[in-house]
Amino acid sequence: PAGDEVITVYEATGRIVPAGGIPAAVGCVVYNVETVLNMHYALEENSAVTHKYVTVAGEVKQPATFRVPLGTRFDELVKLCGGITTEDAVYFAGGPMTGRIAAASDVVTKTTNGILIMPQNHYIIQKRMQKTKVSIARTMSSCCQCRGCTDLCPRNLLGHPITPSDFMRAASYGDARHTEAVLGALYCSQCGLCEMYSCIQGLNPRSLLGEAKMAFAKQGIRPTVVENNGSAKAERPYRKVPMRRLIARLNLEKYDVNAPIQEKELVPKQLSVPLSQHIGKSAEAIVKKGDKVKTGDVLAVAAKDALSLPVHAPMDAEVVKVTDKAIVLKGLTK
């Protein structure tokens, strides 16, 4: 999972981020390319984040990448790609390993990177549609304790205290008393490798670990920072998953095509700009229905005395609706 910052830090520097810790603990900070670009705009041009680069691929006529205003509907981007090429289309936000099932009416936020259009019967869609109760029942009946999920777990191979096979054993017996295995969920990166590649029975370790992780979060249980012995497991170099093999295993070869950046700017007639596009509390709206705003104007300020961020207008527009979830803008005719 090259997107896991813990793995990125190790591959680039050889340093191992402590389990439950952050890259700064080993003198590193990880930014993606678009974040660095936005930092440039903020520092050199004093401009806020109002647009996002989004790749649209899968069952569309012309896969492409667009720079679009925040709040743009997913189906508007699909139209720019010439439309959908399958009758039973499902919108999927994010990559095939870690993404989620979405809706045509969902909108682009600061964290939207890609939109996949997939047939409903595709493996990655069927995986996401499986209910937790079904996943547990299948685990109880089918898990053969082969340890494949653990043997290929990227975090485990760096010495982090997560053992997916032990967690699945606990799930198989409905035994939460195996606290070490269950608490290991706190250290899961949710990369999806165990679920989408490693498990020979097609079970869902990632999903079940994610459910446990969310349950812990709701109870205020956080991972304890655990230092390891400073070295990765000796077998790690031999347990990396080749990208081409992963693509083939997931039946994604037909979708592995170029999606070139389109320079044409999209100016939607209407945007629905979410007030929560960041960690922490939602921004607090300071505009009201009927207000006229210009690109970059502040629509909502960061919540007081909390981790939060402001939200800015992606285009010249009129405010047509304000809720506790989003601000709806109607583009002004020039």
Side-chain angles (χ1 to χ4, degrees):
D4 179 1
E5 63 181 7
V6 171
I7 305 301
T8 301
V9 168
Y10 181 76
E11 294 289 352
T13 70
R15 304 172 192 174
I16 298 179
V17 178
I22 59 175
V26 292
C28 298
V29 178
V30 181
Y31 292 117
N32 65 42
V33 173
E34 191 169 3
T35 298
V36 175
L37 180 62
N38 285 329
M39 290 168 62
H40 164 77
Y41 289 145
L43 294 171
E44 300 298 326
E45 301 178 12
N46 195 33
S47 60
V49 177
T50 58
H51 288 66
K52 189 75 177 67
Y53 284 97
V54 181
T55 297
V56 184
E59 293 288 348
V60 292
K61 292 182 179 178
Q62 296 176 324
T65 301
F66 305 96
R67 182 176 181 269
V68 300
L70 300 177
T72 302
R73 283 175 55 116
F74 283 8
D75 52 5
E76 288 198 52
L77 297 182
V78 170
K79 288 178 183 177
L80 293 179
C81 292
I84 294 173
T85 58
T86 185
E87 293 183 359
D88 56 345
V90 175
Y91 282 74
F92 197 80
M97 300 291 283
T98 61
R100 60 175 178 83
I101 292 178
S105 58
D106 285 356
V107 300
V108 173
T109 70
K110 294 177 184 178
T111 60
T112 305
N113 291 311
I115 301 169
L116 294 175
I117 304 298
M118 306 297 291
Q120 186 173 334
N121 63 357
H122 194 279
Y123 183 67
I124 67 170
I125 301 299
Q126 292 299 307
K127 274 288 192 183
R128 293 298 187 276
M129 293 176 67
Q130 197 163 104
K131 304 296 184 182
T132 300
K133 288 184 178 180
V134 175
S135 294
I136 292 175
R138 293 183 67 241
T139 298
M140 295 175 69
S141 64
S142 303
C143 183
C144 64
Q145 301 300 321
C146 69
R147 285 186 54 88
C149 53
T150 295
D151 289 342
L152 296 184
C153 175
R155 290 284 182 95
N156 178 279
L157 290 169
L158 286 182
H160 286 202
I162 173 173
T163 310
S165 55
D166 287 350
F167 177 89
M168 294 296 277
R169 182 180 295 116
S172 296
Y173 293 100
D175 186 4
R177 291 174 297 177
H178 192 348
T179 54
E180 184 177 343
V182 175
L183 289 172
L186 293 168
Y187 303 96
C188 177
S189 70
Q190 291 287 284
C191 73
L193 192 65
C194 56
E195 180 168 297
M196 306 299 285
Y197 185 89
S198 307
C199 181
I200 61 174
Q201 302 286 7
L203 303 179
N204 298 327
R206 169 193 177 271
S207 298
L208 295 178
L209 284 160
E211 292 283 344
K213 195 173 181 179
M214 287 191 292
F216 286 137
K218 288 179 181 179
Q219 297 175 52
I221 301 174
R222 299 284 184 259
T224 302
V225 177
V226 180
E227 299 283 352
N228 78 339
N229 59 13
S231 61
K233 293 186 176 181
E235 61 268 27
R236 183 179 185 273
Y238 312 104
R239 292 184 176 174
K240 295 181 179 180
V241 175
M243 185 66 74
R244 298 307 309 176
R245 185 174 295 178
L246 176 63
I247 291 172
R249 178 78 66 85
L250 297 182
N251 193 26
L252 293 172
E253 290 173 306
K254 66 176 289 189
Y255 307 118
D256 185 23
V257 298
N258 289 332
I261 293 178
Q262 304 298 313
E263 299 298 335
K264 183 178 180 181
E265 184 176 358
L266 172 64
V267 184
K269 294 181 180 179
Q270 184 169 294
L271 298 174
S272 180
V273 185
L275 295 176
S276 179
Q277 304 183 46
H278 46 264
I279 60 172
K281 288 193 175 182
S282 300
E284 299 173 351
I286 59 171
V287 294
K288 61 183 183 301
K289 182 179 178 180
D291 286 351
K292 303 289 195 306
V293 295
K294 293 184 178 181
T295 303
D297 284 354
V298 178
L299 298 176
V301 295
K304 294 181 180 178
D305 302 321
L307 179 62
S308 185
L309 284 171
V311 174
H312 300 78
M315 66 180 183
D316 296 350
E318 177 183 348
V319 178
V320 297
K321 187 177 182 180
V322 179
T323 71
D324 60 344
K325 301 291 184 183
I327 296 173
V328 181
L329 303 176
K330 180 181 179 181
L332 297 175
T333 303
K334 295 184 179 180

